[in-house]
Amino acid sequence: LQDRFALHLYSVNGKHLSSVPLDEEVTAMCLTEEFVVLGTMQCGLEIRDLQSLRMAVPAVPMRVPVHSVSVTKEKSHILVGLEDGKLIVVGAGQPAEV
């Protein structure tokens, strides 16, 4: 049961490139050119590098399970829809940029 959840990366031709085990159940996912953004049932928001699947930044706790995630067109913010109906806006750039 340790590897109950996992994230796998495949090429467009179906070649398996990499995978990582996950500690939490993924309920929402959004891709950009560089990152994959995951929302979890255990109230977490993870931003991972798309090529290596490593965490780009530490996980952000949300206190409520995440139901949806989206990245703005300018890639400056992440929109997080929570189970309780709230919409959280998270700055995605460096502190000076946000």
Side-chain angles (χ1 to χ4, degrees):
L1 290 176
Q2 283 181 329
D3 294 333
R4 204 169 95 183
F5 305 112
L7 183 62
H8 300 278
L9 177 65
Y10 290 87
S11 72
V12 293
N13 296 326
K15 180 182 176 188
H16 187 261
L17 300 175
S18 63
S19 63
V20 293
L22 299 174
D23 297 329
E24 301 179 0
E25 178 182 358
V26 175
T27 55
M29 179 186 299
C30 182
L31 297 174
T32 69
E33 292 85 9
E34 299 177 42
F35 300 101
V36 57
V37 181
L38 305 172
T40 68
M41 183 60 77
Q42 291 75 20
C43 313
L45 178 68
E46 297 182 5
I47 302 170
R48 294 178 173 267
D49 179 77
L50 185 57
Q51 298 304 313
S52 67
L53 300 180
R54 291 190 201 117
M55 296 281 276
V57 296
V60 179
M62 289 285 131
R63 298 185 188 219
V64 179
V66 175
H67 275 231
S68 63
V69 293
S70 182
V71 178
T72 59
K73 185 170 52 172
E74 299 81 20
K75 297 175 187 62
S76 59
H77 294 83
I78 300 170
L79 308 174
V80 184
L82 302 179
E83 184 177 73
D84 63 0
K86 292 180 181 170
L87 178 66
I88 305 296
V89 179
V90 179
Q94 298 296 325
E97 298 171 353
V98 174

